[in-house]
Each structure stands twice: as C-alpha cells, then as structure tokens.
Amino acid sequence: MKVHPHTRFVLPDALNAGEPPEARGLRRDQVRLLVAEGSTVTHTRFDRIGEHLRPGDLLLVNTSGTLPAAVDGTSVTVHFSTALDDGTWVVELRDGGSPNFDATAGQQVELPEGVLTLLAPYQSESNRLWIARPPVSDVLGYLQRHGRPITYNYIGKRWPLAAYQTVFAREPGSAEMPSAARPFSFELVSQLASQGVLIAPILLHCGVSSLESHEPPQPERYDVPAHTARLVNWVKANGGRVIAVGTTAVRAIESAADTSVNTSHGWTDLVLSPDRPPQVVDGLITGWHAPEASHLLLLESVVGPELVQRAYDAAVQEHYLWHEFGDSALLLRG
C-alpha cells in the first residue's frame, strides 16, 4: 500500500542539518520553532514554546531510548530496526549509504561475533527490509558492544549515542531517535511544569525511518501506561489540549484509543490520514520531514493539509533546518 501526502515542497540540500545544534553553538532548546495555528504562523525559539501552551495542556512524550542500531559488517552495514516476538529482528542492509535491494533469503552477512542470516522479506513490496536471525540472542547487549547510531549521508560526521538521546529516554528500543523531543532540556521541562503544563509518558519503539517514497509506516511496538490514559481523559474532560511530542506519540495514543485495536500495548499498524483522523490529539510538536514521507500524512490527519502546507512553505522560505538535528514546529488544530 502506498501513501500519498498532499503537502508538496522542494527541500534544498542546504537545509539538511548535518550536525547537532550544540556543534553550532546552541543549546538543545535554542533551535528555531515555527508555531502554526489556523491562519497564523509565528517564528520563535524552542525555549519559548511555553508562550504558546496553556495551563492544563498535556504533552505526551515518548520514553523510548535510542539504540546504537547500526553494525558495520565486512561488506555491508546492518541497521537493526525492530525486535520481533520470536527473537528474530527486522533489519535493513545498507551499502555505501543506500539501501541494498539485492539481498536474498538464506543470505548470510558477516558481522562481529558471527553471521546474520536473512530469512524472508518483511511486509514490503521490495527487498529493503528483512526478517533475520541475529548473530547472538542478546541483541541489545550486542549493539552496545558493536553498534553505533544510524546516520545518513547528510550527517557530516559520526556523533556519540548521547547526541541521539532525548531527556525523556528511559527504555532502550528505538532504531532511530524519537527526534521531536530532542529540543527539550531539563530546564525547559521544569519551566513548563511550573506554568501548569502537564507531561505524561508514552512508549513507541521506532524502526528505521529511511522509508521509500510513499511507503507506509511499519508495525511498531507501543505501550500507553494506565495513568497516562487516565490523565488524557481528565485533560479532555476539562477543556485542555492533548499535544503529542512527535509522530510516534500520536501513533501510540491513537492506537490505544482506536476501537479496532482497543488495547494499551502491543503492536500497532495504524496509519493515520485525513481519511482516518485522530480521536485524541489536538496538535503535535514535530521536526521537519522529507518530501513525500508518510509522516506528512499523519501531520495532515492532525491539523489538516492546508495548515501543514502553510507551515512547510514558511519553513523553506525562512530556511529552517531539517531532520533529527534540525529545527522544530508546533502545529495546533485551529
């Protein structure tokens, strides 16, 4: 199934953030922030986000920690994406920075401590993602010994794992950082709490984000704690807004609320779109996504295609920076 967002824009190479803001002389919370609500677009800085939030608003934050999920083999790099329930993993093979589409079932990839064996393609029309048997049973420990953060060609050099962790990270499990939360600092969290903004945990382990054009999101593991669900209901009943920090948080809370899923934890294959709008969230904090990415369809489902297009047009015109080390947006349903 292909997904086709309405939002259209051209991303100049100069707007790809190639290094963390700290390397540019900024604190995490000093990246730029675009606030879009209704017909209004405001340009500010992330550490001033409290000026656009109200007492009683609830921020849902993903507590998944980033794994050093890239392991360099003798001929290819393996991106460990998702742990499956039977001990196998979903992986992506990368060759020279690009997906390797020439893999075959039964192929063995030489890695430190042994070989990784490809078993079958994973829920894809292409050979990009594979179900694989890893070299060892304790993959999280293995990644700590041999892995590094997943990076793409727009990143100028390799950065330590700490650069890919958010202040909310508690449970390691994401192949790539839930990056919408990266601009939060402990000081900013304290400031927001003091002004009456509520913050609650939610969990969704992110797989690899290097999706092909129009490729839908893959199934991901999620958990919505009971106290978070109660707080969401209380906030909605008392006129507050539920604002998800990232597309991962949107997908997790909407999966728990979806009558066809109706569970607070497990696997979700929910794909939100304007035809399947969210039932819970009123807005979201997000980074800037690549052209034709499926994340754009989720943004459109929350605040509408017109507002998303307006925000992206303004971001390109004002030279905001893209990707995990880039700038941020607060998109609110009018």
Side-chain angles (χ1 to χ4, degrees):
M1 180 187 71
K2 297 291 186 179
V3 294
H4 298 274
H6 291 86
T7 304
R8 294 287 183 268
F9 64 97
V10 175
L11 179 61
D13 288 342
L15 300 189
N16 291 315
E19 58 188 3
E22 297 91 317
R24 306 194 297 269
L26 302 175
R27 298 195 311 266
R28 281 180 176 237
D29 58 12
Q30 288 181 321
V31 296
R32 299 173 71 191
L33 174 69
L34 182 149
V35 182
E37 182 176 12
S39 60
T40 303
V41 172
T42 303
H43 302 286
T44 182
R45 208 170 66 180
F46 198 87
D47 57 0
R48 298 173 185 149
I49 194 172
E51 299 172 6
H52 302 274
L53 301 174
R54 303 192 291 252
D57 284 345
L58 172 63
L59 301 182
L60 295 177
V61 300
N62 190 354
T63 57
S64 180
T66 310
L67 298 171
V71 177
D72 296 315
T74 56
S75 58
V76 296
T77 296
V78 177
H79 288 180
F80 285 77
S81 177
T82 306
L84 300 179
D85 293 334
D86 62 357
T88 61
W89 275 70
V90 178
V91 302
E92 180 188 40
L93 304 188
R94 306 284 290 190
D95 188 358
S98 300
N100 182 324
F101 294 103
D102 298 327
T104 58
Q107 179 179 338
Q108 293 190 326
V109 179
E110 292 186 18
L111 293 178
E113 297 186 35
V115 297
L116 175 134
T117 304
L118 303 183
L119 302 177
Y122 179 70
Q123 298 191 355
S124 176
E125 298 173 4
S126 71
N127 281 1
R128 189 178 70 85
L129 296 178
W130 284 81
I131 300 174
R133 184 182 304 112
V136 299
S137 58
D138 177 17
V139 174
L140 295 188
Y142 177 81
L143 294 178
Q144 292 298 327
R145 294 191 299 276
H146 301 291
R148 58 176 175 80
I150 289 175
T151 59
Y152 296 106
N153 290 337
Y154 56 82
I155 298 295
K157 71 173 195 177
R158 293 181 181 176
W159 298 93
L161 185 61
Y164 294 86
Q165 300 291 7
T166 74
V167 298
F168 304 113
R170 294 295 180 271
E171 181 179 330
S174 283
E176 299 190 37
M177 172 175 52
S179 55
R182 192 186 192 280
F184 283 91
S185 63
F186 291 113
E187 293 81 6
L188 179 57
V189 171
S190 177
Q191 174 190 320
L192 293 175
S194 70
Q195 73 177 63
V197 175
L198 305 171
I199 298 174
I202 206 165
L203 181 72
L204 187 139
H205 290 318
C206 314
V208 293
S209 68
S210 55
L211 301 180
E212 296 176 79
S213 175
H214 305 305
E215 186 178 351
Q218 300 292 330
E220 293 171 312
R221 195 188 304 272
Y222 79 100
D223 181 69
V224 178
H227 56 85
T228 292
R230 289 194 295 269
L231 189 55
V232 166
N233 292 333
W234 184 87
V235 167
K236 299 292 282 188
N238 286 275
R241 298 176 298 184
V242 175
I243 299 171
V245 180
T247 57
T248 60
V250 176
R251 198 181 195 199
I253 192 64
E254 295 297 336
S255 296
D258 188 356
T259 54
S260 67
V261 177
N262 196 28
T263 180
S264 61
H265 61 88
W267 289 88
T268 178
D269 59 2
L270 179 65
V271 178
L272 293 168
S273 71
D275 295 329
R276 167 53 178 94
Q279 305 174 48
V280 178
V281 300
D282 303 295
L284 77 163
I285 296 166
T286 179
W288 298 98
H289 302 289
E292 301 181 346
S294 62
H295 297 90
L296 294 170
L297 201 66
L298 185 147
L299 304 187
E300 294 171 357
S301 78
V302 176
V303 298
E306 296 82 6
L307 188 144
V308 177
Q309 186 69 65
R310 189 179 305 118
Y312 271 75
D313 287 344
V316 171
Q317 181 178 348
E318 296 298 323
H319 302 100
Y320 278 66
L321 295 179
W322 254 247
H323 304 303
E324 65 268 32
F325 293 145
D327 295 314
S328 191
L330 170 61
L331 307 179
L332 297 168
R333 187 182 299 156

